[in-house]
Amino acid sequence: VQLVESGGGFVQAGESLRLSCTASGFTFDDVDYAIGWFRQAPGKEREGVAAFTRTDRRKYYLESVKGRFTISPDDVENTVYLQMNNLKPEDTAMYSCGVVFGIHIGIGRGMLQAGRYRYWGQGTHVTVSS
């Protein structure tokens, strides 16, 4: 299993970015999985930003990004996108995606916990200037 993130960059506050997490070694259509986007800023702990559970097709978001970020799986591209709108300086971080296989029902916002995920990408950096 391999995850490759892309789409990071340097933007001004209020602008948008779309991050991609492209998976190989498995096919979205064929398995139950959960995939999440996480971020870690310098000197801070990693936090879950958004997650998607294939079993029930539910999405979960960190409170501070609700209404601004959207996680979207694309079964054709085998890619999960994170659309980030109205970016703020506090969104500056290294963003990475993680995946775990299996059925995930009823866990809720627990899916934003990094410890639940098995495979990780290398990350893509996002810098938001004020």
Side-chain angles (χ1 to χ4, degrees), residues 35 42 45-46 53 71 75 81 86 91 94 105 125 128:
I35 197 160
E45 292 189 358
R46 182 167 53 183
T53 50
I71 186 170
D75 290 353
Y81 298 102
N86 189 22
D91 295 319
M94 176 70 78
I105 297 177
H125 204 269
V128 184

Side-chain angles (χ1 to χ4, degrees), residues 23-89:
S24 59
F26 73 101
T27 304
F28 282 9
D29 272 349
D30 292 344
V31 297
D32 274 307
Y33 67 90
I35 197 160
W37 280 100
F38 297 80
R39 68 186 181 188
Q40 187 166 20
K44 295 187 176 182
E45 292 189 358
R46 182 167 53 183
E47 62 180 355
V49 174
F52 168 78
T53 50
R54 168 78 178 188
T55 307
D56 54 8
R57 304 197 75 83
R58 297 195 68 171
K59 300 177 181 180
Y60 305 94
Y61 296 96
L62 181 69
E63 197 64 34
S64 63
V65 308
K66 277 184 179 178
R68 298 190 298 124
F69 290 12
T70 303
I71 186 170
S72 301
D74 184 326
D75 290 353
V76 174
E77 299 294 330
N78 227 47
T79 296
V80 173
Y81 298 102
L82 183 68
Q83 177 68 42
M84 306 187 297
N85 298 328
N86 189 22
L87 282 160
K88 303 177 180 182

